[in-house]
Amino acid sequence: MVNYQILLDKTIENNLKEKKVSTLLLHCCCAPCSSYVLEYLSKYFMITTFYYNPNISSFAEYEKRKEELERFIHECNFVNPVNFVCGVYDHSRYEEMIRGLEEEKEGGSRCWKCYLLRLEEAAKYAKEHHFDYFTTTLSISPYKNAEVLNKIGEELSKKYDIEYLYSDFKKKNGYQRSIELSHLHHLYRQNYCGCIYSKKKENL
């Protein structure tokens, strides 16, 4: 199995040798998952967070998570600038993407389609706006498959001719640090991923 943290370390090391601060489009699912990733990567990249999550079943929930992410960014003093952009909320795109997979187990092929939907939008945005890299915060979750996420990112990198930043943010105690930062900044931590299926599972 590939150690994606080692690949990330190599990219950072190469940039440091070249005294280069690359631009990174970081797809973000929520403030808690983004907290550690931003603290960590902002030392080495100029980051624009990309909030694009049409999987979230409720617009009120979508807005709440968006506002928390913006609040966290404004509260922190990062080493390099961190900006925020928001994609279009269109839940029907998610529903169309996972049609026929509604009964699949959580963490399986339905979730992989959701990864693809969000990462592809990030790849397109990164290419159109001339970023050096794109990646996602999703791998910080112990419930998300980092190998699948990175393979999707690799394929999209080839498709759109934009570099993908390999990562597994669970490494280096990233998930634990995200919990600490969430408590420190009083961040809203949801107990489900966002889609109606993960919410149903949590409420079983």
Side-chain angles (χ1 to χ4, degrees):
M1 183 178 291
V2 177
N3 187 322
Y4 293 104
Q5 179 62 51
I6 290 176
L7 295 182
L8 173 56
D9 289 341
K10 287 180 178 177
T11 299
I12 291 171
E13 183 181 343
N14 289 337
N15 281 356
L16 288 173
K17 283 180 181 178
E18 296 175 7
K19 297 182 179 179
K20 180 181 178 182
V21 181
S22 300
T23 56
L24 169 66
L25 186 77
L26 176 66
H27 166 262
C28 295
C29 54
C30 62
C33 288
S34 304
S35 58
Y36 162 74
V37 180
L38 288 171
E39 179 185 67
Y40 172 35
L41 292 185
S42 65
K43 301 170 188 174
Y44 312 107
F45 298 90
M46 289 186 289
I47 299 174
T48 295
T49 59
F50 183 58
Y51 183 76
Y52 176 73
N53 301 290
N55 58 305
I56 299 175
S57 55
S58 158
F59 183 67
E61 178 72 18
Y62 175 90
E63 284 291 297
K64 187 170 185 177
R65 296 187 192 193
K66 178 173 75 74
E67 289 167 4
E68 281 292 88
L69 177 58
E70 289 185 280
R71 178 174 70 83
F72 175 75
I73 291 169
H74 291 146
E75 283 184 2
C76 295
N77 293 314
F78 298 108
V79 175
N80 287 303
V82 174
N83 297 310
F84 175 89
V85 294
C86 188
V88 175
Y89 177 72
D90 182 359
H91 186 60
S92 64
R93 284 196 67 191
Y94 168 76
E95 292 177 320
E96 181 179 345
M97 189 74 166
I98 58 92
R99 186 168 290 122
L101 300 172
E102 292 87 350
E103 301 304 318
E104 289 290 309
K105 66 178 182 179
E106 190 71 9
S109 56
R110 185 186 64 242
C111 294
W112 301 353
K113 286 282 189 179
C114 183
Y115 300 166
L116 174 59
L117 174 63
R118 292 187 276 175
L119 275 168
E120 184 153 25
E121 195 71 14
K124 288 191 288 187
Y125 188 97
K127 180 63 177 180
E128 290 167 3
H129 293 83
H130 311 292
F131 283 84
D132 296 316
Y133 295 91
F134 77 101
T135 196
T136 178
T137 61
L138 288 171
S139 69
I140 198 170
S141 169
Y143 304 105
K144 300 291 189 294
N145 189 317
E147 184 175 8
V148 172
L149 283 163
N150 281 282
K151 285 182 177 178
I152 290 171
E154 186 176 281
E155 288 303 310
L156 292 171
S157 172
K158 295 173 185 175
K159 181 177 179 179
Y160 292 100
D161 189 28
I162 174 78
E163 290 291 327
Y164 176 74
L165 189 68
Y166 293 101
S167 59
D168 185 354
F169 294 118
K170 291 183 287 292
K171 304 291 186 181
K172 295 189 174 182
N173 294 315
Y175 180 65
Q176 182 58 42
R177 179 57 179 162
S178 74
I179 293 173
E180 293 169 1
L181 287 167
S182 295
H183 290 319
L184 181 63
H185 291 271
H186 307 288
L187 297 177
Y188 164 63
R189 288 184 66 87
Q190 62 285 349
N191 62 354
Y192 67 103
C193 179
C195 73
I196 193 171
Y197 310 103
S198 60
K199 188 174 185 179
K200 284 178 179 177
K201 180 178 181 295
E202 186 63 33
N203 292 333
L204 286 178

